[in-house]
Amino acid sequence: MKLTNYEQDVLNGKYGEGAAMAMEIQVAIGETFDAPRMVPVTRTHVALSAQDADLWFAEKLLSKGAKCKIPPTINPSICIKYLNEHLHEVPDEGKNIVFATNEAYRKLGAQLTFDCTPYLQQNVPAYGEVIAFSESSATPYVNSVIGARTNREGANSALCAAITGMVPEYGLLFDENRKAEILVDVQADVKTDFDYQILGWCYPEKYKGLEVPVFKGIKERPTPEGFMNFGAQLNTSGCVSMYHIAGITPEAPTVEAAVGSKKIKREIVITDKDLQDTRERLCNEPGTIDFAMFGCPHITIRQVGIIAKVCEGRKFKVDTWLLTSSLTRELADRMGYLSIIQRAGGHIIADTCIDVPPCWKPYYGSVGVTDSPKCAYYNEIRGIKFLIRPLEEAVEAAISGKVVK
Ligand code: F3S
């Protein structure tokens, strides 16, 4: 890589050991991908996880005096206070790692947003902006829906970018690598936000390659939640950092524009039957449930409103959790949704992820309902089985205590 004098000075430690460590990692990544140079970023988002490796890395940088030049927003962790009051006393090992991680990121200069949908609030890039975002739903959203440019950063590489304020120039930062090589003919009827959960899971079941796909045949623009669901599942079931929807996403006014000078390597057809088969594989048999969980990715105010409408004047039979950002929780309070959900016996918890052990230990080995395949997939490891249903049906299940179909 060709470094400027300033970048070479950072690497040599002129601006501190922490910045040098971050730069050394980024130069190694750049050389791996044959990046010609470093380029500045204007935004960063770090998929903090409050787990051992994450804490080790953040503290290592901190001990070397690192400070974020482009303060990142960060992923959710655990709201220990709320869980202590409403579910269980979070075990010490959980508390300790959460407090230490939060403190490390605060000292590094991160914005303590604890939210996994920064692209909807608080850290929204513009078309063409070069950024460094980690987090599975965030990367496809900013690349595909907004047209900003990021590679599929890990939490560690995104934190390095936040510290140096730059990234190696490779991959999705270049026009030609954003062009589609896989044509996906969607013959299925895709309309609802839940349909996008299923379509997002289905495509990587048919093709696992890393090339950018262009979807054609989708007639109506998905809602922000539909896009959010789509990217989250594409990048969980598979590894899709960017996609196009012909006639809808900004770099794909047509299939031809999405493909540019690339060649289509493979054509894939997705029919109603394909979506039905994926849905049957994912959704599990009806049955009784022990709890309900919504918010992977963090739910939006519109989704909170949908849940409030279904449960207004009724009672949840099982523990019901809505996970969201502190801003959306505050908005839900102002709009009266919080009190409706609390009167039904449900919880809106801010700053919290479905995947931070031992946050949800009381549910290990039990059965939940959710609308998110990603939530179900991440919790398999803890022996939690989820029945997956569209949002309104899942809320009805939380009220009756069972999934009926
Ligand atoms: Fe968000 Fe955690 Fe799910 S970061 S997308 S709630 S795994």
Side-chain angles (χ1 to χ4, degrees):
M1 282 178 79
K2 195 161 171 32
L3 299 184
T4 63
N5 289 343
Y6 168 73
E7 290 157 5
Q8 193 63 53
D9 284 347
V10 175
L11 188 62
N12 292 343
K14 185 172 175 187
Y15 298 95
E17 275 185 61
M21 178 179 156
M23 184 63 101
E24 193 181 347
I25 291 168
Q26 290 190 291
V27 168
I29 294 170
E31 286 178 346
T32 304
F33 288 99
D34 290 328
R37 59 175 186 163
M38 300 292 289
V39 288
V41 290
T42 43
R43 297 172 184 276
T44 57
H45 177 79
V46 175
L48 163 150
S49 63
Q51 297 182 31
D52 289 331
D54 180 21
L55 176 61
W56 179 87
F57 190 69
E59 285 187 336
K60 184 95 178 159
L61 283 163
L62 194 58
S63 71
K64 291 175 178 290
K67 193 85 184 164
C68 292
K69 200 167 174 183
I70 306 289
T73 47
I74 54 172
N75 257 22
S77 170
I78 309 180
C79 183
I80 287 179
K81 184 170 182 292
Y82 195 93
L83 283 181
N84 279 349
E85 286 169 10
H86 298 279
L87 182 65
H88 69 141
E89 181 73 24
V90 176
D92 281 346
E93 82 261 24
K95 275 186 212 164
N96 295 343
I97 197 164
V98 165
F99 289 140
T101 305
N102 295 358
E103 191 58 5
Y105 275 87
R106 190 184 64 74
K107 287 182 177 160
L108 283 167
Q111 297 173 5
L112 302 185
T113 49
F114 299 121
D115 172 31
C116 49
T117 59
Y119 47 85
L120 296 177
Q121 52 181 213
Q122 303 192 83
N123 201 357
V124 184
Y127 181 87
E129 207 174 331
V130 175
I131 61 178
F133 269 38
S134 51
E135 169 50 34
S136 57
S137 80
T139 311
Y141 197 105
V142 294
N143 274 318
S144 316
V145 183
I146 297 177
R149 297 186 174 210
T150 181
N151 280 307
R152 190 179 197 263
E153 301 287 351
N156 296 349
S157 63
L159 182 54
C160 290
I163 289 165
T164 61
M166 54 187 93
V167 286
E169 189 179 37
Y170 72 95
L172 292 173
L173 304 195
F174 287 118
D175 287 349
E176 63 268 27
N177 296 332
R178 300 173 69 80
K179 297 297 181 190
E181 292 179 281
I182 309 295
L183 179 62
V184 190
D185 183 3
V186 182
Q187 297 175 0
D189 196 17
V190 183
K191 285 203 179 88
T192 67
D193 295 344
F194 190 69
D195 291 339
Y196 283 98
Q197 307 268 40
I198 302 298
L199 180 63
W201 200 269
C202 175
Y203 165 68
E205 285 185 328
K206 291 205 153 209
Y207 185 67
K208 285 270 188 250
L210 299 177
E211 301 93 334
V212 174
V214 54
F215 293 80
K216 71 167 189 177
I218 294 177
K219 293 175 193 69
E220 283 171 26
R221 186 179 177 84
T223 63
E225 293 80 4
F227 276 125
M228 175 176 90
N229 293 346
F230 192 37
Q233 308 316 330
L234 283 170
N235 216 4
T236 301
S237 169
C239 187
V240 178
S241 311
M242 176 165 185
Y243 61 86
H244 302 284
I245 303 180
I248 293 178
T249 54
E251 293 175 54
T254 60
V255 168
E256 293 69 30
V259 173
S261 59
K262 292 258 171 163
K263 293 253 174 311
I264 291 293
K265 286 185 184 166
R266 188 186 283 234
E267 290 194 30
I268 290 166
V269 175
I270 295 184
T271 62
D272 281 319
K273 177 163 183 330
D274 291 321
L275 291 195
Q276 191 52 37
D277 289 348
T278 298
R279 188 168 171 157
E280 275 165 23
R281 273 196 298 283
L282 276 178
C283 290
N284 282 322
E285 295 298 308
T288 55
I289 51 167
D290 304 304
F291 71 106
M293 190 164 280
F294 308 107
C296 177
H298 273 176
I299 56 172
T300 65
I301 193 65
R302 185 173 77 83
Q303 291 174 310
V304 176
I306 291 169
I307 295 170
K309 192 169 169 204
V310 177
C311 74
E312 185 160 17
R314 305 165 81 190
K315 287 275 180 216
F316 290 118
K317 193 157 186 179
V318 296
D319 293 358
T320 297
W321 294 92
L322 284 62
L323 282 60
T324 193
S325 69
S326 54
L327 288 187
T328 300
R329 190 178 191 278
E330 170 64 27
L331 192 53
D333 190 11
R334 293 182 193 177
M335 295 180 72
Y337 298 150
L338 178 63
S339 61
I340 291 171
I341 286 160
Q342 286 178 332
R343 275 199 299 276
H347 302 275
I348 304 185
I349 183 168
D351 304 337
T352 300
C353 172
I354 56 100
D355 185 39
V356 182
C359 182
W360 302 105
K361 205 166 188 179
Y363 301 125
Y364 289 8
S366 57
V367 179
V369 69
T370 182
D371 65 329
S372 164
K374 181 178 177 182
C375 176
Y377 175 75
Y378 275 37
N379 277 298
E380 275 172 16
I381 195 173
R382 298 176 193 114
I384 301 177
K385 176 177 164 186
F386 273 101
L387 310 185
I388 304 168
R389 293 296 184 274
L391 186 59
E392 289 92 333
E393 281 179 42
V395 179
E396 285 291 350
I399 291 168
S400 66
K402 55 183 182 289
V403 173
V404 287
K405 60 177 174 142

